[in-house]
Amino acid sequence: MPRQRVTLITLGVGDLDRARDFYAGWGWQAHPASQPGIIFYQMNGTVLGLFGRGDLAADQGRSGAALGTGAVTLAQNCADEAETDAVFDAALQAGAACLKRPEKVFWGGYSGYFADPDGHVWEIACNPFWPLAADGSLTLPDPD
Amino acid sequence: MPRQRVTLITLGVGDLDRARDFYAGWGWQAHPASQPGIIFYQMNGTVLGLFGRGDLAADQGRSGAALGTGAVTLAQNCADEAETDAVFDAALQAGAACLKRPEKVFWGGYSGYFADPDGHVWEIACNPFWPLAADGSLTLPDPD
């Protein structure tokens, strides 16, 4: 099995119903494997999970710990600037907090950030140097 | 392009050299697309990035913000309990802080947690109900 892998990204949330409603509003469909207390979304070869923050702390062996957000960002790259704007605006309409509207950035792409209702930060971007496969997966190109 | 995707997971770190050394010690190889100030690792259809925490805050439009960790966990599922132990122990040897050694858990799997030098939490697990593809990608099974 390759060493460099992520199987599941879990976001600890303060209110599971609120979090589920946000991701539904952004257009995500929960997978039938979801169970009471944990919600799963199939992604491009990986899975996103929503799980109560207290449950997550207990699962980590840190009951009562104050878990923080913001130092991990999840980026979703889009085909072009128009799709980036559309995906970003859909998140705002679903209740995300805008951190930085998509704009041209110094590295040659186009990128914005929002925070979901629990403070988890998403970057929505397009990167002309990183072509995506049809399923949305990314294989880094070798430098010239 | 599918709506439910993650292209890039970025971990904000306090000391980029220390973080790179930890991931190298755990057996990860940086991709040649890495640049001064940001390190990339090819994963199963997605990319992991290491980026200075201050740079990440500025990129989010929140210069000076205190970004927190722990409320996002990244899980790497393994083929069996022996591989789970081996991957976990390799991380500890590379300098990770053990939060909970891998043990049998109530949902029928085997799971442990560690924190990397910046407090980013990884779960190393095996889940007999979620078979992995050869490249390590996960497609959620439909419930019975």
Side-chain angles (χ1 to χ4, degrees), chain B residues 14-34:
Chain B
D15 181 322
L16 196 60
D17 290 339
R18 180 184 65 177
R20 185 191 53 208
D21 288 348
F22 167 73
Y23 284 92
W26 192 27
W28 290 50
Q29 293 195 313
H31 190 276
S34 302

Side-chain angles (χ1 to χ4, degrees), chain A residues 1-12 26-29 31-33 40-47 56 59-60 62 67-77 83 99-100 113 120-122 130 132-143, chain B residues 1-12 26-29 31-33 40-47 56 59-60 62 67-77 83 99-100 113 120-122 130 132-143:
Chain A
M1 195 75 72
R3 184 155 296 193
Q4 304 183 184
R5 296 179 296 111
V6 165
T7 310
L8 173 67
I9 302 166
T10 299
L11 306 183
W26 192 26
W28 289 50
Q29 292 195 313
H31 189 276
F40 295 119
Y41 303 89
Q42 179 67 53
M43 300 195 296
N44 47 314
T46 66
V47 169
L56 183 60
D59 209 40
Q60 292 174 8
R62 304 197 284 181
L67 306 184
T69 63
V72 178
T73 59
L74 303 176
Q76 182 173 113
N77 284 12
E83 188 187 12
L99 299 177
K100 192 175 81 169
Y113 285 97
H120 296 294
V121 179
W122 283 84
W130 283 5
L132 301 172
D135 70 349
S137 67
L138 170 62
T139 300
L140 287 169
D142 284 318
Chain B
M1 195 73 70
R3 183 155 297 193
Q4 306 184 182
R5 296 179 297 108
V6 166
T7 310
L8 173 67
I9 303 167
T10 299
L11 306 182
W26 192 27
W28 290 50
Q29 293 195 313
H31 190 276
F40 295 119
Y41 302 89
Q42 178 68 51
M43 301 195 294
N44 47 314
T46 66
V47 169
L56 183 61
D59 209 41
Q60 292 174 9
R62 304 197 284 181
L67 307 183
T69 63
V72 177
T73 59
L74 303 176
Q76 182 175 111
N77 283 13
E83 188 186 10
L99 299 176
K100 192 174 81 169
Y113 285 98
H120 297 294
V121 179
W122 283 84
W130 283 6
L132 302 171
D135 70 349
S137 68
L138 171 62
T139 302
L140 287 169
D142 284 319

Side-chain angles (χ1 to χ4, degrees), chain A residues 14-70:
Chain A
D15 181 321
L16 196 60
D17 289 341
R18 180 185 66 178
R20 185 191 52 209
D21 288 349
F22 167 73
Y23 284 92
W26 192 26
W28 289 50
Q29 292 195 313
H31 189 276
S34 301
Q35 297 171 26
I38 189 159
I39 300 168
F40 295 119
Y41 303 89
Q42 179 67 53
M43 300 195 296
N44 47 314
T46 66
V47 169
L48 183 76
L50 305 177
F51 193 39
R53 200 181 289 127
D55 291 337
L56 183 60
D59 209 40
Q60 292 174 8
R62 304 197 284 181
S63 294
L67 306 184
T69 63

